[in-house]
Protein backbone atom coordinates (compact mmCIF):
# COMPACT_ATOMS: atom_id res chain seq x y z
CA UNK A 1 0.00 0.00 0.00
CA UNK A 2 1.33 3.45 -0.95
CA UNK A 3 0.25 6.52 1.04
CA UNK A 4 0.85 10.13 0.03
CA UNK A 5 1.47 12.40 3.05
CA UNK A 6 0.78 16.11 2.64
CA UNK A 7 1.79 19.03 4.86
CA UNK A 8 0.35 22.27 3.46
CA UNK A 9 1.18 25.74 4.74
CA UNK A 10 -0.23 29.00 3.39
CA UNK A 11 2.60 29.26 0.84
CA UNK A 12 4.17 25.81 0.95
CA UNK A 13 3.40 22.16 0.24
CA UNK A 14 5.59 19.29 1.48
CA UNK A 15 4.90 15.73 0.39
CA UNK A 16 6.17 12.20 0.92
CA UNK A 17 5.06 9.06 -0.87
CA UNK A 18 5.54 6.14 1.54
CA UNK A 19 5.43 2.43 0.77
CA UNK A 20 3.60 1.05 3.81
CA UNK A 21 4.73 -2.53 3.12
CA UNK A 22 8.23 -1.58 4.32
CA UNK A 23 7.55 1.98 5.60
CA UNK A 24 10.19 3.36 3.22
CA UNK A 25 9.93 6.77 1.53
CA UNK A 26 9.57 6.34 -2.25
CA UNK A 27 9.70 10.05 -3.11
CA UNK A 28 9.55 13.35 -1.29
CA UNK A 29 9.68 17.02 -2.09
CA UNK A 30 8.38 20.49 -1.50
CA UNK A 31 6.83 23.47 -3.27
CA UNK A 32 7.76 26.85 -1.81
CA UNK A 33 6.47 30.39 -2.22
CA UNK A 34 3.07 29.35 -3.59
CA UNK A 35 1.21 32.51 -4.56
CA UNK A 36 4.38 34.60 -4.07
CA UNK A 37 7.03 35.66 -6.59
CA UNK A 38 10.03 33.31 -6.78
CA UNK A 39 8.19 29.95 -6.52
CA UNK A 40 10.36 26.87 -6.31
CA UNK A 41 9.84 23.11 -6.38
CA UNK A 42 12.26 20.31 -5.61
CA UNK A 43 12.22 16.67 -4.74
CA UNK A 44 14.07 13.38 -4.71
CA UNK A 45 13.39 9.68 -5.00
CA UNK A 46 14.40 6.70 -2.85
CA UNK A 47 17.18 5.84 -5.33
CA UNK A 48 18.77 9.30 -5.35
CA UNK A 49 17.19 10.91 -8.43
CA UNK A 50 16.52 14.62 -7.89
CA UNK A 51 14.60 17.44 -9.53
CA UNK A 52 14.37 21.19 -8.99
CA UNK A 53 12.58 23.94 -10.94
CA UNK A 54 11.24 27.46 -10.55
CA UNK A 55 7.82 27.37 -12.21
CA UNK A 56 5.06 29.86 -11.58
CA UNK A 57 2.94 28.53 -8.67
CA UNK A 58 -0.02 30.92 -8.36
CA UNK A 59 -2.00 28.55 -6.11
CA UNK A 60 -2.02 25.18 -4.33
CA UNK A 61 -3.85 23.48 -7.22
CA UNK A 62 -0.97 24.30 -9.56
CA UNK A 63 1.52 23.08 -6.94
CA UNK A 64 -0.36 19.76 -6.61
CA UNK A 65 -0.30 19.37 -10.41
CA UNK A 66 3.50 19.61 -10.33
CA UNK A 67 3.65 17.05 -7.51
CA UNK A 68 1.43 14.70 -9.53
CA UNK A 69 3.62 15.14 -12.61
CA UNK A 70 6.80 14.58 -10.61
CA UNK A 71 5.42 11.26 -9.30
CA UNK A 72 4.09 10.07 -12.67
CA UNK A 73 6.41 11.47 -15.32
CA UNK A 74 9.95 12.51 -16.16
CA UNK A 75 13.29 11.51 -14.64
CA UNK A 76 11.90 11.21 -11.11
CA UNK A 77 8.87 9.09 -12.00
CA UNK A 78 8.11 6.54 -9.24
CA UNK A 79 4.61 5.27 -10.15
CA UNK A 80 2.86 4.36 -13.42
CA UNK A 81 -0.62 5.41 -12.39
CA UNK A 82 -2.39 7.33 -9.62
CA UNK A 83 -4.24 4.07 -8.85
CA UNK A 84 -1.05 2.95 -7.08
CA UNK A 85 -1.69 5.56 -4.35
CA UNK A 86 -4.23 4.05 -1.96
CA UNK A 87 -4.90 7.12 0.18
CA UNK A 88 -3.71 10.60 1.13
CA UNK A 89 -2.96 11.77 4.69
CA UNK A 90 -2.95 15.47 5.59
CA UNK A 91 -1.37 17.14 8.61
CA UNK A 92 -3.76 19.57 10.33
CA UNK A 93 -2.45 21.79 13.12
CA UNK A 94 -5.62 22.51 15.09
CA UNK A 95 -8.42 20.07 15.81
CA UNK A 96 -9.44 21.97 18.95
CA UNK A 97 -11.46 19.97 21.44
CA UNK A 98 -13.51 18.54 18.57
CA UNK A 99 -11.08 15.90 17.33
CA UNK A 100 -9.15 13.59 19.63
CA UNK A 101 -8.06 11.33 16.78
CA UNK A 102 -7.49 11.22 13.04
CA UNK A 103 -10.59 11.08 10.81
CA UNK A 104 -11.52 10.53 7.17
CA UNK A 105 -12.06 13.76 5.22
CA UNK A 106 -15.73 14.58 4.63
CA UNK A 107 -17.44 17.92 3.81
CA UNK A 108 -18.49 18.06 7.50
CA UNK A 109 -14.86 17.61 8.67
CA UNK A 110 -13.72 20.40 6.34
CA UNK A 111 -16.39 22.70 7.81
CA UNK A 112 -15.23 21.87 11.36
CA UNK A 113 -11.56 22.52 10.50
CA UNK A 114 -12.67 25.84 9.04
CA UNK A 115 -14.60 26.71 12.23
CA UNK A 116 -11.45 26.01 14.25
CA UNK A 117 -9.46 28.52 12.18
CA UNK A 118 -9.81 31.16 14.90
CA UNK A 119 -7.48 28.98 17.01
CA UNK A 120 -4.93 28.53 14.20
CA UNK A 121 -5.43 31.38 11.72
CA UNK A 122 -2.11 30.79 9.96
CA UNK A 123 -2.56 27.04 9.57
CA UNK A 124 -6.13 25.71 9.33
CA UNK A 125 -7.22 27.83 6.32
CA UNK A 126 -4.06 26.68 4.50
CA UNK A 127 -4.84 23.03 5.30
CA UNK A 128 -8.33 23.42 3.81
CA UNK A 129 -6.86 25.02 0.70
CA UNK A 130 -4.51 22.04 0.51
CA UNK A 131 -7.26 19.42 0.91
CA UNK A 132 -9.45 21.12 -1.72
CA UNK A 133 -6.58 21.50 -4.20
CA UNK A 134 -5.53 17.90 -3.59
CA UNK A 135 -9.09 16.70 -4.30
CA UNK A 136 -9.13 18.75 -7.50
CA UNK A 137 -5.88 17.26 -8.79
CA UNK A 138 -6.02 13.68 -7.43
CA UNK A 139 -9.78 13.19 -7.75
CA UNK A 140 -12.49 12.89 -5.12
CA UNK A 141 -12.53 9.09 -5.08
CA UNK A 142 -9.16 8.81 -3.36
CA UNK A 143 -9.69 8.42 0.43
CA UNK A 144 -8.18 11.30 2.39
CA UNK A 145 -7.45 11.41 6.12
CA UNK A 146 -6.65 14.33 8.42
CA UNK A 147 -4.21 13.84 11.29
CA UNK A 148 -4.42 16.53 13.96
CA UNK A 149 -1.31 17.92 15.63
CA UNK A 150 -3.06 18.29 18.97
CA UNK A 151 -5.01 14.99 19.02
CA UNK A 152 -2.36 13.22 21.10
CA UNK A 153 -2.78 15.88 23.80
CA UNK A 154 -6.54 15.33 24.12
CA UNK A 155 -5.96 12.99 27.09
CA UNK A 156 -4.70 15.85 29.32
CA UNK A 157 -6.79 16.14 32.50
CA UNK A 158 -8.93 19.25 32.80
CA UNK A 159 -6.76 20.65 35.63
CA UNK A 160 -3.76 20.49 33.28
CA UNK A 161 -5.35 22.07 30.20
CA UNK A 162 -7.47 24.75 31.93
CA UNK A 163 -6.44 28.37 32.34
CA UNK A 164 -7.37 30.05 35.64
CA UNK A 165 -10.03 32.26 34.07
CA UNK A 166 -13.81 32.24 34.54
CA UNK A 167 -14.90 28.94 33.06
CA UNK A 168 -17.93 30.33 31.23
CA UNK A 169 -15.55 32.59 29.30
CA UNK A 170 -13.16 29.71 28.69
CA UNK A 171 -16.06 27.63 27.29
CA UNK A 172 -17.45 30.47 25.21
CA UNK A 173 -14.15 31.04 23.42
CA UNK A 174 -12.75 27.49 23.64
CA UNK A 175 -9.88 29.15 25.48
CA UNK A 176 -7.63 26.39 26.90
CA UNK A 177 -4.38 24.59 26.33
CA UNK A 178 -4.40 22.33 23.24
CA UNK A 179 -0.71 21.70 22.65
CA UNK A 180 1.03 20.95 19.35
CA UNK A 181 3.64 18.58 17.85
CA UNK A 182 1.37 15.75 19.10
CA UNK A 183 2.10 13.56 16.08
CA UNK A 184 5.81 13.79 16.90
CA UNK A 185 5.42 13.12 20.64
CA UNK A 186 3.19 10.12 19.90
CA UNK A 187 5.68 8.75 17.37
CA UNK A 188 8.53 9.10 19.88
CA UNK A 189 6.90 7.17 22.72
CA UNK A 190 5.63 4.47 20.36
CA UNK A 191 9.06 4.11 18.76
CA UNK A 192 10.66 3.89 22.22
CA UNK A 193 8.26 1.10 23.23
CA UNK A 194 8.84 -0.69 19.92
CA UNK A 195 12.63 -0.56 20.32
CA UNK A 196 12.44 -1.78 23.91
CA UNK A 197 9.83 -4.41 23.09
CA UNK A 198 7.60 -3.17 25.92
CA UNK A 199 4.04 -1.97 26.37
CA UNK A 200 3.57 1.72 27.23
CA UNK A 201 1.31 0.69 30.10
CA UNK A 202 3.06 1.61 33.35
CA UNK A 203 5.69 3.86 31.70
CA UNK A 204 6.51 7.52 32.45
CA UNK A 205 8.22 9.26 29.55
CA UNK A 206 9.19 12.88 28.86
CA UNK A 207 9.51 13.73 25.17
CA UNK A 208 11.46 16.86 24.17
CA UNK A 209 10.74 17.98 20.59
CA UNK A 210 13.28 20.80 20.21
CA UNK A 211 13.46 22.61 16.88
CA UNK A 212 12.58 26.00 15.52
CA UNK A 213 9.34 25.36 17.41
CA UNK A 214 9.82 23.38 20.62
CA UNK A 215 7.58 21.52 23.03
CA UNK A 216 7.99 19.08 25.91
CA UNK A 217 5.34 16.52 26.84
CA UNK A 218 4.72 14.31 29.87
CA UNK A 219 3.43 10.89 28.77
CA UNK A 220 2.12 8.43 31.36
CA UNK A 221 0.92 4.96 30.30
CA UNK A 222 1.34 6.12 26.69
CA UNK A 223 -1.08 9.03 27.21
CA UNK A 224 -0.22 12.72 27.27
CA UNK A 225 -0.92 14.24 30.68
CA UNK A 226 0.66 17.65 30.06
CA UNK A 227 2.49 19.58 27.36
CA UNK A 228 4.33 22.88 27.19
CA UNK A 229 2.50 24.53 24.28
CA UNK A 230 -0.83 26.21 24.95
CA UNK A 231 -3.86 27.47 23.07
CA UNK A 232 -1.40 28.13 20.24
CA UNK A 233 2.22 27.00 19.70
CA UNK A 234 3.49 30.21 21.34
CA UNK A 235 3.60 28.94 24.91
CA UNK A 236 6.28 26.95 26.72
CA UNK A 237 9.97 27.06 25.85
CA UNK A 238 11.92 29.92 24.28
CA UNK A 239 11.91 29.04 20.56
CA UNK A 240 13.50 30.30 17.34
CA UNK A 241 11.38 33.43 17.13
CA UNK A 242 8.64 32.76 19.73
CA UNK A 243 8.83 34.04 23.28
CA UNK A 244 7.49 30.92 25.00
CA UNK A 245 6.08 31.44 28.55
CA UNK A 246 5.84 35.08 29.45
CA UNK A 247 3.97 36.82 32.26
CA UNK A 248 0.71 38.04 30.67
CA UNK A 249 1.18 41.43 32.36
CA UNK A 250 4.52 41.84 30.58
CA UNK A 251 2.53 41.53 27.36
CA UNK A 252 -0.12 44.11 28.30
CA UNK A 253 2.63 46.37 29.70
CA UNK A 254 4.57 46.30 26.41
CA UNK A 255 1.38 46.68 24.40
CA UNK A 256 0.41 49.81 26.32
CA UNK A 257 3.86 51.38 26.31
CA UNK A 258 4.63 50.62 22.67
CA UNK A 259 1.07 51.40 21.50
CA UNK A 260 0.75 48.07 19.69
CA UNK A 261 -2.49 46.63 18.31
CA UNK A 262 -3.31 43.01 19.31
CA UNK A 263 -2.10 41.90 15.85
CA UNK A 264 1.22 43.74 16.31
CA UNK A 265 1.66 42.19 19.75
CA UNK A 266 1.01 38.74 18.34
CA UNK A 267 3.46 39.36 15.49
CA UNK A 268 6.06 40.54 18.03
CA UNK A 269 5.68 37.50 20.33
CA UNK A 270 5.61 34.99 17.47
CA UNK A 271 8.18 36.42 15.07
CA UNK A 272 10.57 38.77 16.90
CA UNK A 273 11.26 37.11 20.24
CA UNK A 274 12.87 33.81 21.26
CA UNK A 275 16.48 33.13 20.31
CA UNK A 276 16.22 35.84 17.63
CA UNK A 277 14.99 38.50 20.05
CA UNK A 278 17.42 37.69 22.85
CA UNK A 279 20.53 37.22 20.72
CA UNK A 280 19.56 40.10 18.45
CA UNK A 281 20.85 38.35 15.35
CA UNK A 282 19.61 34.78 14.75
CA UNK A 283 16.75 32.36 15.43
CA UNK A 284 19.03 29.42 14.61
CA UNK A 285 20.47 27.44 17.52
CA UNK A 286 23.67 26.59 15.63
CA UNK A 287 24.39 30.29 15.04
CA UNK A 288 23.69 31.04 18.68
CA UNK A 289 25.97 28.30 19.98
CA UNK A 290 28.76 29.36 17.58
CA UNK A 291 28.42 33.01 18.68
CA UNK A 292 28.31 32.02 22.36
CA UNK A 293 31.54 30.07 21.89
CA UNK A 294 33.12 33.22 20.41
CA UNK A 295 32.10 35.24 23.50
CA UNK A 296 28.83 36.85 22.41
CA UNK A 297 27.01 37.67 25.68
CA UNK A 298 23.50 37.84 24.19
CA UNK A 299 23.90 34.51 22.42
CA UNK A 300 25.11 33.04 25.72
CA UNK A 301 21.99 34.39 27.44
CA UNK A 302 19.71 32.98 24.71
CA UNK A 303 21.26 29.49 24.86
CA UNK A 304 21.43 29.49 28.68
CA UNK A 305 17.72 30.41 28.79
CA UNK A 306 16.86 27.47 26.55
CA UNK A 307 18.96 24.99 28.54
CA UNK A 308 17.50 26.23 31.82
CA UNK A 309 13.91 26.11 30.58
CA UNK A 310 14.26 22.57 29.20
CA UNK A 311 15.56 21.43 32.63
CA UNK A 312 12.70 23.24 34.39
CA UNK A 313 10.05 21.59 32.20
CA UNK A 314 11.65 18.17 32.68
CA UNK A 315 11.74 18.74 36.46
CA UNK A 316 8.12 19.84 36.57
CA UNK A 317 6.98 16.84 34.49
CA UNK A 318 8.89 14.44 36.76
CA UNK A 319 6.84 15.98 39.58
CA UNK A 320 3.62 15.81 37.52
CA UNK A 321 4.10 12.07 36.86
CA UNK A 322 5.72 11.26 40.23
CA UNK A 323 8.75 9.87 38.41
CA UNK A 324 10.22 9.26 34.97
CA UNK A 325 11.59 6.19 33.18
CA UNK A 326 12.90 7.78 30.01
CA UNK A 327 13.63 11.18 28.48
CA UNK A 328 13.65 11.42 24.68
CA UNK A 329 15.23 14.18 22.56
CA UNK A 330 14.04 14.91 19.01
CA UNK A 331 13.69 17.79 16.51
CA UNK A 332 16.51 19.71 14.81
CA UNK A 333 18.09 20.77 18.11
CA UNK A 334 17.25 17.62 20.09
CA UNK A 335 18.62 15.32 17.39
CA UNK A 336 21.70 17.33 16.45
CA UNK A 337 22.85 19.68 19.19
CA UNK A 338 25.39 17.82 21.32
CA UNK A 339 26.01 20.83 23.65
CA UNK A 340 22.28 21.29 24.27
CA UNK A 341 21.78 17.69 25.37
CA UNK A 342 24.98 17.84 27.40
CA UNK A 343 23.96 21.07 29.17
CA UNK A 344 20.50 19.73 30.00
CA UNK A 345 21.31 16.16 30.99
CA UNK A 346 24.46 16.92 32.99
CA UNK A 347 22.35 18.98 35.41
CA UNK A 348 19.83 16.18 35.99
CA UNK A 349 22.12 14.19 38.29
CA UNK A 350 19.57 14.57 41.11
CA UNK A 351 17.41 12.11 39.16
CA UNK A 352 20.25 9.59 39.11
CA UNK A 353 20.77 10.30 35.41
CA UNK A 354 24.24 9.66 34.03
CA UNK A 355 25.12 10.91 30.54
CA UNK A 356 27.25 8.69 28.31
CA UNK A 357 29.41 11.43 26.76
CA UNK A 358 30.68 9.17 23.99
CA UNK A 359 27.16 8.10 22.95
CA UNK A 360 26.01 11.74 23.13
CA UNK A 361 28.66 12.69 20.55
CA UNK A 362 26.30 11.94 17.67
CA UNK A 363 23.83 13.61 15.35
CA UNK A 364 20.55 12.46 13.87
CA UNK A 365 20.60 8.84 14.90
CA UNK A 366 18.57 6.62 17.20
CA UNK A 367 20.73 6.05 20.26
CA UNK A 368 20.63 5.76 24.06
CA UNK A 369 22.84 8.51 25.47
CA UNK A 370 22.62 7.56 29.16
CA UNK A 371 24.96 5.02 30.74
CA UNK A 372 23.70 1.51 31.54
CA UNK A 373 23.68 2.31 35.27
CA UNK A 374 21.71 5.57 34.81
CA UNK A 375 18.49 5.56 36.88
CA UNK A 376 16.59 7.06 33.91
CA UNK A 377 17.19 6.25 30.26
CA UNK A 378 17.93 9.17 27.94
CA UNK A 379 17.46 8.64 24.21
CA UNK A 380 17.84 10.51 20.94
CA UNK A 381 15.12 9.39 18.52
CA UNK A 382 14.85 11.21 15.18
CA UNK A 383 11.18 12.02 14.85
CA UNK A 384 9.14 10.99 11.82
CA UNK A 385 5.82 12.82 11.71
CA UNK A 386 5.19 11.84 8.08
CA UNK A 387 5.41 8.15 8.89
CA UNK A 388 3.08 8.64 11.86
CA UNK A 389 0.56 10.37 9.54
CA UNK A 390 0.91 7.57 6.97
CA UNK A 391 0.35 4.91 9.66
CA UNK A 392 -2.84 6.60 10.87
CA UNK A 393 -4.05 6.99 7.28
CA UNK A 394 -3.45 3.31 6.57
CA UNK A 395 -5.22 2.29 9.78
CA UNK A 396 -8.32 4.35 8.99
CA UNK A 397 -8.50 3.29 5.35
CA UNK A 398 -8.16 -0.38 6.28
CA UNK A 399 -10.89 -0.03 8.91
CA UNK A 400 -13.40 1.27 6.35
P1 LIG B 1 13.64 21.97 13.10
O1 LIG B 1 12.64 23.06 13.25
O2 LIG B 1 13.25 20.69 13.81
O3 LIG B 1 14.06 21.73 11.68
O4 LIG B 1 14.98 22.46 13.85
C1 LIG B 1 15.66 23.63 13.47
C2 LIG B 1 16.64 23.98 14.57
O5 LIG B 1 17.57 22.89 14.72
C3 LIG B 1 17.47 25.23 14.27
O6 LIG B 1 17.54 26.04 15.43
C4 LIG B 1 18.83 24.65 13.96
O7 LIG B 1 19.87 25.52 14.31
C5 LIG B 1 18.86 23.45 14.88
N1 LIG B 1 19.94 22.55 14.49
C6 LIG B 1 20.03 21.79 13.40
N2 LIG B 1 21.26 21.17 13.39
C7 LIG B 1 21.92 21.58 14.50
C8 LIG B 1 23.21 21.33 15.07
N3 LIG B 1 24.07 20.53 14.48
N4 LIG B 1 23.52 21.95 16.23
C9 LIG B 1 22.65 22.79 16.83
N5 LIG B 1 21.43 23.06 16.35
C10 LIG B 1 21.07 22.47 15.21
Amino acid sequence: MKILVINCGSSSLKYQLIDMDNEQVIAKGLCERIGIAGSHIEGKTFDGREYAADPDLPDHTTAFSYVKDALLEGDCKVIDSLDEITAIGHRVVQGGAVYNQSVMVTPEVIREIDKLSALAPLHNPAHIQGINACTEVFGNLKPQVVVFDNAFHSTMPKYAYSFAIPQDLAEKHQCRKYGAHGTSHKYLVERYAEMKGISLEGTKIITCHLGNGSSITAVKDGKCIDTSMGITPLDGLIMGTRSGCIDASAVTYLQQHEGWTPEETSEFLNKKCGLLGVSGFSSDMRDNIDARDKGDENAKLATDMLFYQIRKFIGSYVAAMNGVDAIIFAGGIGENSIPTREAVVSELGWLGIKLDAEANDCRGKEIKISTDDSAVEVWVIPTNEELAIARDTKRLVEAQ
Side-chain angles (χ1 to χ4, degrees):
M1 177 190 287
K2 295 185 181 78
I3 304 273
L4 182 64
V5 176
I6 299 293
N7 183 353
C8 257
S10 53
S11 64
S12 67
L13 187 182
K14 290 189 204 142
Y15 71 91
Q16 282 194 11
L17 183 65
I18 301 180
D19 184 345
M20 295 310 287
D21 296 338
N22 54 17
E23 297 197 330
Q24 295 301 309
V25 176
I26 302 169
K28 65 177 179 181
L30 63 94
C31 306
E32 293 174 302
R33 300 181 67 86
I34 300 169
I36 311 173
S39 305
H40 176 75
I41 60 171
E42 63 182 49
K44 57 183 169 193
T45 62
F46 67 98
D47 51 2
R49 289 169 284 149
E50 293 186 9
Y51 73 89
D54 299 317
D56 195 21
L57 297 178
D59 50 38
H60 284 80
T61 307
T62 314
F64 270 105
S65 302
Y66 277 100
V67 171
K68 183 174 115 179
D69 290 350
L71 296 172
L72 281 169
E73 297 166 8
D75 294 344
C76 290
K77 169 184 156 101
V78 284
I79 49 174
D80 292 320
S81 144
L82 284 187
D83 293 343
E84 289 182 45
I85 301 175
T86 305
I88 299 171
H90 296 265
R91 171 183 180 235
V92 172
V93 163
Q94 185 56 272
V98 181
Y99 295 108
N100 59 11
Q101 58 187 343
S102 307
V103 291
M104 303 293 301
V105 173
T106 63
E108 171 65 21
V109 168
I110 294 181
R111 274 195 296 277
E112 283 294 341
I113 296 172
D114 190 29
K115 276 200 234 160
L116 291 162
S117 290
L119 296 169
L122 298 180
H123 294 102
N124 277 24
H127 299 322
I128 296 172
Q129 265 180 312
I131 294 167
N132 288 337
C134 184
T135 309
E136 230 176 285
V137 174
F138 288 86
N140 62 2
L141 293 179
K142 192 79 68 198
Q144 297 188 58
V145 168
V146 277
V147 178
F148 298 96
D149 249 16
N150 64 318
F152 182 59
H153 303 306
S154 65
T155 47
M156 282 187 286
K158 193 165 184 182
Y159 57 76
Y161 70 65
S162 297
F163 299 138
I165 59 175
Q167 290 302 286
D168 52 347
L169 203 61
E171 291 267 316
K172 182 177 167 195
H173 296 289
Q174 304 172 64
C175 186
R176 47 158 284 189
K177 179 196 277 276
Y178 294 105
H181 291 149
T183 312
S184 173
H185 292 289
K186 179 168 182 269
Y187 173 84
L188 296 173
V189 290
E190 288 180 351
R191 179 68 191 134
Y192 173 75
E194 185 185 339
M195 280 188 309
K196 301 273 296 176
I198 57 168
S199 148
L200 284 168
E201 204 58 43
T203 59
K204 297 171 181 175
I205 302 173
I206 297 174
T207 45
C208 308
H209 179 115
L210 310 173
N212 195 32
S214 298
S215 64
I216 300 192
T217 295
V219 187
K220 197 173 178 191
D221 299 319
K223 295 190 173 66
C224 168
I225 63 140
D226 205 347
T227 191
S228 61
M229 282 178 167
I231 183 169
T232 71
L234 176 63
D235 203 6
L237 297 157
I238 170 173
M239 296 175 234
T241 60
R242 287 172 241 168
S243 64
C245 298
I246 181 168
D247 180 350
S249 44
V251 176
T252 48
Y253 176 85
L254 285 173
Q255 197 165 15
Q256 277 164 357
H257 286 79
E258 291 291 318
W260 293 334
T261 62
E263 290 73 25
E264 285 167 337
T265 307
S266 174
E267 169 92 2
F268 169 77
L269 293 169
N270 279 290
K271 303 262 174 71
K272 297 181 183 157
C273 292
L275 298 176
L276 174 66
V278 178
S279 71
F281 71 93
S282 175
S283 63
D284 190 289
M285 189 60 174
R286 263 170 308 199
D287 294 347
N288 274 280
I289 289 180
D290 288 350
R292 174 201 72 169
D293 292 345
K294 289 183 186 127
D296 186 301
E297 285 296 320
N298 291 332
K300 177 166 173 15
L301 176 61
T303 53
D304 282 349
M305 284 173 74
L306 178 60
F307 302 155
Y308 176 67
Q309 292 182 11
I310 298 170
R311 285 202 301 272
K312 265 208 313 192
F313 266 107
I314 290 175
S316 67
Y317 288 164
V318 173
M321 294 194 288
N322 191 16
V324 62
D325 303 315
I327 298 170
I328 301 170
F329 286 93
I333 298 172
E335 290 163 28
N336 299 300
S337 180
I338 298 160
T340 300
R341 295 191 304 249
E342 212 264 325
V344 171
V345 179
S346 62
E347 295 289 325
L348 294 175
W350 61 277
L351 280 171
I353 294 183
K354 293 183 193 161
L355 181 71
D356 179 339
E358 204 175 307
N360 188 43
D361 191 14
C362 73
R363 292 201 171 96
K365 69 174 188 194
E366 216 162 56
I367 187 168
K368 180 162 78 98
I369 59 167
S370 52
T371 59
D372 288 342
D373 63 345
S374 174
V376 176
E377 289 194 358
V378 185
W379 280 80
V380 177
I381 300 183
T383 197
N384 194 340
E385 288 160 287
E386 290 78 12
L387 179 57
I389 293 170
R391 282 177 179 166
D392 255 19
T393 305
K394 176 173 184 259
R395 185 176 54 77
L396 280 180
V397 169
E398 284 179 341
Q400 265 199 320

